[in-house]
Amino acid sequence: MNLAEVLAAALAAFLAAAPVAAYVLDALGLPLSPVVVLILSVAAAGAAVWHLRRTAVRGGADFAGWAAVVVSVFAGLLSLAWPTLLLPGRGPDLTHHLLLVDYIERAGHLVRDRSLDGAMGEMAHYTPGVHVLAVLAGAWTGTDGFRAFYPLLAAATALSAGFVYLIARRLLLPNSFAIAAALCLLLPRAYFVGAFTHDSFLAQAMAAFFCVASWWALIAWERRTYAMAAALFGLFVTAVFLTWPMWIGPPLLVFLVLLLRRHTTVRWRVQHLLIVTIPLGLIAALHVTGRFGWLLIARTSGAVVRPSLEVLGSMFPALSLVGIVQAIRAPRSYLTLGFLLAIVLQAITLWIAAENAGAETPYMALKMIYLAIYPLAVLVAFGLHASIPRVSPAAPALGWAAVAMLVITAGLPALTAATTAPVVSADLYAAGRWMRANVGASCADYLVADADTAYWLHLAVLGNPRSSARTAEVDRYDPNAEVGRWVAGQGRGYAVADLGRLPDEVRGRVAVLAQFGSAAVIRRPGAGACEAP
């Protein structure tokens, strides 16, 4: 194990231990303490370093390659949302995730009241891993979960690319081809970056990181079956469950197959099985109890990107087939092939479940593609390298040529792709929080340019219930009609407004109660006190 792997494992352990520790503390009835969770997370990272350091080698080239991948991807993702660094996605999923972040931040604990369905919908029962991580990251950085969410996901996604690099190196690929494997993730950009920059699959994006980390831990465990690797795998799959439990199947299935294949004692098998399953089993039992009905979400329908040449391009699928064919002949790639096969098997199972339930779209089955791109990226690089004659003097140059080609064809387009303005805003967020604290949440109109922005303000910032007549009105929000009501003097007493949306005939006759940059809380003449619904 090289220095880069030790550092990557420590960072992953830190991020995985945080939601696990927070969940356990909450189950004990204790408040969410960022300081306590930070201490426990640092301890988990320190334990990983302490145990792995004994087998670590310097590996300067590996560390440089890993650091280059992680830093480049992280910087690129930050540039996509610069300068606000706010979540750039849209749609109801964005609001629903931020609604849970807001609840945890205000309550100081996870959702304990099982009767909050009317106020929060499915988020009252959602696994809160990424949400509590966002809250903790906000507390640790002196901001809040709303502002910390995107940098957190950017860091996790960059570390996922770093693990892809490390896995490629464990398959004995040269440094250049391992870097190419990480860059291959940018070819299916809609599934790699678009998961959270466009589709707002925020929990899924974080779960991808924990799942890739668990895949790396499996490879490390298979090569040298020490207990620390099993413990890391157990921690990572527990974090997968707490973040997006739909993806826990593939790593667990591969682990069980490897465990049964080991020619060792029953005692050893039981020991490592318990190391992995005890924390996962306890957390799963705590969360699933009383929520069995929500397991039917696996058969649900929904909007999701469908695979096509337009989305994937022609290069990634073609090179993936080459890589799979080449990997079948190389035993060292079997675990990665097994991980991909497990993903395919779960996708087929979910597809059949959706078909039997009459779902219009096999939503969860199609979401498995977001995970499949990671082993496919490694196999693409493996296939490229295996296609070069071993004795070819041009092999090193071809590896770096592949890196240069991927930077040009995938990296630069990803960084220069046109991005839409975020539907969330720091100014509107501040105005909405002021409105909630000083006026009330139930009597606000939203004079903003986008229906998604109004929905976010109404639920995630002002904290109104999802099941209400007013929320149904916001679901039908029309920006022009809303401004028209205020022009005609027919709006509610108060509004959270984007000042750029206010016509002069409105701005001239309303009182600005508080202004935050380009956003303000305004009051219509004669408006009374805001009464609770």
Side-chain angles (χ1 to χ4, degrees):
M1 188 167 292
N2 57 52
L3 181 61
E5 289 184 298
V6 173
L7 182 55
L11 291 171
F14 175 86
L15 290 174
V20 173
Y23 199 91
V24 171
L25 292 174
D26 188 80
L28 295 174
L30 300 174
L32 178 63
S33 171
V35 174
V36 172
V37 174
L38 179 62
I39 293 171
L40 294 174
S41 300
V42 170
V49 171
W50 178 261
H51 285 276
L52 297 179
R53 82 191 197 288
R54 292 175 295 180
T55 60
V57 295
R58 290 186 179 275
D62 286 329
F63 183 81
W66 173 80
V69 167
V70 173
V71 171
S72 298
V73 174
F74 184 56
L77 290 174
L78 292 185
S79 71
L80 290 178
W82 193 265
T84 64
L85 296 182
L86 299 178
L87 292 164
R90 58 186 310 114
D93 278 357
L94 175 64
T95 291
H96 298 163
H97 286 300
L98 290 175
L99 170 62
L100 183 51
V101 168
D102 175 74
Y103 177 89
I104 296 171
E105 212 155 38
R106 289 178 179 276
H109 57 75
L110 305 182
V111 179
R112 296 172 180 171
D113 187 351
R114 303 292 176 85
S115 65
L116 286 174
D117 298 48
M120 303 181 69
E122 76 282 357
M123 302 311 293
H125 307 278
Y126 209 90
T127 45
V130 70
H131 312 89
V132 73
L133 256 178
V135 171
L136 290 167
W140 294 335
T141 57
T143 57
D144 51 43
F146 170 66
R147 292 176 177 83
F149 217 143
Y150 183 80
L152 171 68
L153 289 179
T157 303
L159 289 170
S160 298
F163 272 117
V164 165
Y165 166 86
L166 295 174
I167 290 167
R169 289 291 290 141
R170 279 195 169 264
L171 267 61
L172 304 181
L173 294 184
N175 214 334
S176 56
F177 284 93
I179 293 174
L183 289 173
C184 282
L185 293 169
L186 293 170
L187 290 172
R189 188 170 66 242
Y191 288 100
F192 179 53
V193 178
F196 63 97
T197 62
H198 182 271
D199 297 334
S200 296
F201 297 151
L202 309 185
Q204 177 188 297
M206 180 58 70
F209 163 62
F210 291 132
C211 219
V212 172
S214 68
W215 168 31
W216 168 85
L218 272 179
I219 294 176
W221 176 77
E222 187 208 20
R223 299 289 167 84
R224 297 189 62 175
T225 52
Y226 39 76
M228 189 61 202
L232 284 172
F233 175 75
L235 176 62
F236 297 154
V237 292
T238 303
V240 171
F241 176 86
L242 270 180
T243 310
W244 179 252
M246 294 307 302
W247 279 358
I248 199 168
L252 276 183
L253 178 59
V254 175
F255 167 72
L256 292 175
V257 170
L258 290 176
L259 194 68
L260 292 174
R261 285 183 60 231
R262 280 285 166 188
H263 300 291
T264 185
T265 64
V266 173
R267 178 181 178 182
W268 181 93
R269 290 179 180 177
V270 171
Q271 177 190 10
H272 283 244
L273 180 65
L274 292 178
I275 289 173
V276 169
T277 57
I278 285 179
L280 174 61
L282 289 175
I283 294 293
L286 285 171
H287 191 79
V288 171
T289 301
R291 294 187 173 100
F292 287 102
W294 288 93
L295 296 177
L296 296 177
I297 195 174
R299 304 186 300 176
T300 191
S301 185
V304 65
V305 176
R306 286 183 175 270
S308 66
L309 290 180
E310 183 180 357
V311 174
L312 294 169
S314 57
M315 184 185 299
F316 189 73
L319 293 177
S320 296
L321 289 175
V322 173
I324 291 171
V325 171
Q326 294 283 5
I328 289 173
R329 299 182 293 181
R332 67 180 183 276
S333 67
Y334 283 177
L335 196 152
T336 295
L337 280 174
F339 186 55
L340 177 61
L341 178 60
I343 293 171
V344 172
L345 289 175
Q346 179 163 319
I348 293 172
T349 303
L350 291 171
W351 191 295
I352 294 172
E355 288 286 327
N356 291 337
E360 296 179 3
T361 302
Y363 181 63
M364 293 299 178
L366 290 174
K367 278 201 164 191
M368 297 305 295
I369 300 172
Y370 288 84
L371 182 58
I373 65 168
Y374 293 93
L376 285 174
V378 172
L379 293 173
V380 166
F382 187 88
L384 288 173
H385 180 252
S387 300
I388 300 172
R390 297 289 181 87
V391 295
S392 173
L398 290 174
W400 291 112
V403 170
M405 179 191 71
L406 287 166
V407 168
I408 294 171
T409 60
L412 293 179
L415 295 179
T416 58
T419 55
T420 57
V423 298
V424 300
S425 154
D427 291 344
L428 287 171
Y429 179 71
R433 286 168 65 95
W434 190 93
M435 172 80 185
R436 184 174 184 176
N438 297 281
V439 179
S442 61
C443 55
D445 278 333
Y446 311 106
L447 305 182
V448 293
D450 194 285
D452 284 339
T453 304
Y455 189 69
W456 161 66
L457 282 169
H458 183 70
L459 293 180
V461 182
L462 271 73
N464 289 291
R466 282 178 65 177
S467 293
S468 68
R470 174 61 179 138
T471 300
E473 291 178 13
V474 175
D475 285 339
R476 302 186 296 270
Y477 182 83
D478 183 318
N480 294 327
E482 198 74 5
V483 172
R485 290 174 61 238
W486 275 72
V487 171
Q490 298 174 348
R492 285 178 170 78
Y494 301 85
V496 177
D498 177 350
L499 293 176
R501 293 281 302 167
L502 288 186
D504 292 340
E505 56 264 47
V506 174
R507 188 177 297 203
R509 64 170 185 254
V510 299
V512 176
L513 301 182
Q515 182 172 345
F516 305 87
S518 62
V521 177
I522 61 175
R523 182 179 63 195
R524 190 164 49 82
C530 184
E531 297 180 359

